[in-house]
Amino acid sequence: MIGPRDLWLRRSMRFRVTTVATAVTLAVLLALAFLTSRMIEPLLVDSADSELSPVLTAAAAAVMDGRPVESSSPSILAHVLDTAGQPVDGKPAPVLSAADVRVLKAGTPVLRLTDYPPVRWLGTVVSAPDGSQRVVVVGTGLAGYTTAHISTLHWLLVAAIIVAAAGALATWFAVRSALRPVQHMRQAAARLGAGKRLPLPASRDELWALTGALNDLLARRDQAADRLRRFTGDAAHELRSPVASIRVQAEVAVRHPDPELAQEVLTDVVHESERLSALVDGLLTLARSDAGEVPPAEQVDLSAAAYDAAARCPDDGPEVVVHTPAGWCWVLAAHNEVDLVLDNLLRNAARHARSRITVTVIGGSTVTRLVVDDDGGGIPVEHRSRVFDRFYRVQDDRARSSGGTGLGLALVAEVVRRRGGTVRVGESPEGGARFLVSWRTTTVA
């Protein structure tokens, strides 16, 4: 079932903005209309009080002096009453109830809305020359009191509706004009080809900033798509080699059922399957990293991890020497990430070292460094900027024969980068390659 919210969201932005703006404008104008119409009544009453006050003062003075009370205007009534409310000036009794007289004796004005027109009365109590108490009252009719209130409200409501309609029309065209560049941008995006960008508008406004952000997003999308194409092609190429090797050797073993040949084939199959397994693990790790899957960071003792990694190296390989400072060197990473970095760096160094690999841990207050040196042939300068690229090999044939997949150093660079660290390659004092890894230092809580 479609609810009101769904129906509202299905409308165009122009309709929604216009509706909201019109509703708010109309509500404010209606509130002002009712408020203004209500203010007409006190304005008329205040005007009558301003006119009656001097007349009441003059009449009270005349009563105290014993003079007759005369009204200065035919529209103003002036009466002198006793304390019971009866006239003592020979004039007809005013239309006032006993309750009205009590209120006027207290000095409070009275508004009689039941009269036509409504009458405003002011009163006061004074002493006559003979000592008797007299109530002096003056009043005037409020002509047009009810009509002014109703007419004002009527015309203000009409004005509010007209202004709201004009505001709705203006809002409709304003939003339409403001959204026209967005419509052009949508049409341009629909026709956009690969590698193309949206044209930047001439005005330096919010739309210009949005277009620039969208172009940046398109650039990142193209870069990601290009990386994905290259990664997929390289992965397919790399996976094809061990799979083809395993298949060919299996076919040879089937066609030549010789026990000695079978044992040799099985050895080669195990070697290729290990290489294939390492390649698949590396691809999965890189895919998780590209997807943003980062394990929680924790405190890892880099010194202990370096000794453990050295202990995992084969006994028949180059000698691995570890130098660490006294105490612990804690870095902010994950245990499996540190082990992956150390294992890949030592495995890479073992392929090219002649007899010795040196692992050095250098502690620092903000950065802890891991240095891996070997005494092999080193890495030429022209290759150092690309050794961390995926599937890149300095010596392709040698790397293939030694079991390299071209992903080890790429994995090292990736896991260190996502922890805010850096990896550099240079020349070792021992003549081979030097890999320098920097991690953020952390302290034990």
Side-chain angles (χ1 to χ4, degrees):
M1 182 177 179
I2 300 177
R5 176 181 173 84
D6 296 329
L7 290 175
W8 172 256
L9 294 177
R10 288 186 178 185
R11 308 299 297 179
S12 65
M13 183 180 293
R14 179 168 52 186
F15 175 83
R16 285 182 285 165
V17 171
T18 302
T19 302
V20 171
T22 304
V24 172
T25 303
L26 184 60
V28 172
L29 291 176
L30 291 178
L32 289 176
F34 282 102
L35 180 63
T36 304
S37 65
R38 295 296 298 270
M39 291 176 62
I40 294 296
E41 299 177 6
L43 286 176
L44 292 175
V45 172
D46 290 343
S47 299
D49 290 346
S50 300
E51 188 177 357
L52 292 175
S53 292
V55 177
L56 177 63
T57 302
V63 172
M64 287 188 294
D65 294 341
R67 293 181 288 106
V69 174
E70 299 292 341
S71 176
S72 60
S73 173
S75 62
I76 298 177
L77 304 176
H79 295 273
V80 180
L81 312 175
D82 58 17
T83 54
Q86 298 300 317
V88 295
D89 55 358
K91 298 179 181 179
V95 185
L96 290 171
S97 65
D100 294 337
V101 173
R102 287 194 299 270
V103 173
L104 290 171
K105 286 164 61 176
T108 303
V110 171
L111 178 62
R112 289 182 58 85
L113 295 175
T114 56
D115 298 341
Y116 186 80
V119 181
R120 179 69 167 178
W121 291 96
L122 298 182
T124 186
V125 178
V126 298
S127 298
D130 58 1
S132 59
Q133 297 293 309
R134 296 288 182 259
V135 181
V136 181
V137 295
V138 294
T140 184
L142 302 179
Y145 179 85
T146 304
T147 304
H149 170 67
I150 297 175
S151 298
T152 301
L153 179 59
H154 171 76
W155 287 110
L156 287 176
L157 290 177
V158 173
I161 295 174
I162 294 175
V163 173
L169 192 62
T171 304
W172 177 273
F173 284 105
V175 175
R176 179 183 178 184
S177 177
L179 293 179
R180 185 176 292 112
V182 179
Q183 177 70 11
H184 294 163
M185 184 188 301
R186 185 187 66 82
Q187 295 173 352
R191 299 190 300 266
L192 208 61
K196 301 296 183 180
R197 299 293 180 266
L198 294 171
L200 289 173
S203 58
R204 294 285 183 121
D205 54 8
E206 292 82 358
L207 190 60
W208 181 87
L210 175 62
T211 306
L214 290 176
N215 284 337
D216 292 340
L217 177 63
L218 291 173
R220 293 195 299 271
R221 181 207 63 181
D222 291 343
Q223 292 173 1
D226 183 61
R227 287 196 303 268
L228 180 61
R229 283 192 297 269
R230 287 189 284 107
F231 181 78
T232 304
D234 292 340
H237 177 73
E238 294 297 327
L239 289 171
R240 187 183 300 114
S241 297
V243 170
S245 177
I246 292 174
R247 186 187 65 186
V248 169
Q249 295 180 68
E251 290 176 352
V252 171
V254 170
R255 293 176 181 177
H256 304 84
D258 184 357
E260 295 183 2
L261 180 61
Q263 184 64 32
E264 181 181 351
V265 169
L266 288 176
T267 302
D268 292 339
V269 168
V270 169
H271 176 75
E272 291 295 335
S273 63
E274 290 176 350
R275 179 167 174 258
L276 180 61
S277 176
L279 179 60
V280 171
D281 290 341
L283 290 173
L284 290 175
T285 302
L286 289 174
R288 294 191 186 101
S289 179
D290 291 340
E293 298 181 12
V294 180
E298 52 189 333
Q299 295 171 333
V300 181
D301 183 7
L302 187 57
S303 298
Y307 282 110
D308 292 342
R312 291 193 295 268
C313 291
D315 296 333
D316 56 351
E319 178 188 8
V320 180
V321 180
V322 180
H323 299 290
T324 62
W328 296 274
C329 291
W330 300 98
V331 296
L332 190 64
H335 282 283
N336 60 339
E337 292 177 344
V338 175
D339 291 341
L340 183 147
V341 170
L342 284 164
D343 290 343
N344 278 282
L345 290 179
L346 290 177
R347 192 179 301 116
N348 178 77
R351 292 193 190 103
H352 307 290
R354 296 187 178 92
S355 60
R356 181 184 177 89
I357 300 172
T358 303
V359 180
T360 307
V361 177
I362 305 173
S365 58
T366 58
V367 176
T368 297
R369 294 176 174 84
L370 170 70
V371 183
V372 178
D373 294 312
D374 65 69
D375 58 355
I379 299 177
V381 176
E382 63 271 16
H383 294 284
R384 293 177 185 175
S385 61
R386 299 191 58 191
V387 292
F388 298 108
D389 292 346
R390 300 174 185 184
F391 302 110
Y392 183 79
R393 298 181 180 88
V394 177
Q395 294 176 344
D396 192 70
D397 294 337
R398 180 180 177 183
R400 289 182 186 276
S401 63
S402 60
T405 63
L407 288 178
L409 296 181
L411 285 170
V412 170
E414 181 64 23
V415 298
V416 173
R417 178 197 60 78
R418 68 187 184 187
R419 293 299 180 189
T422 59
V423 182
R424 297 196 303 272
V425 61
E427 185 176 351
S428 170
E430 300 180 7
R434 161 172 285 188
F435 287 88
L436 175 62
V437 182
S438 299
W439 269 296
R440 286 186 296 171
T441 302
T442 183
T443 56
V444 180

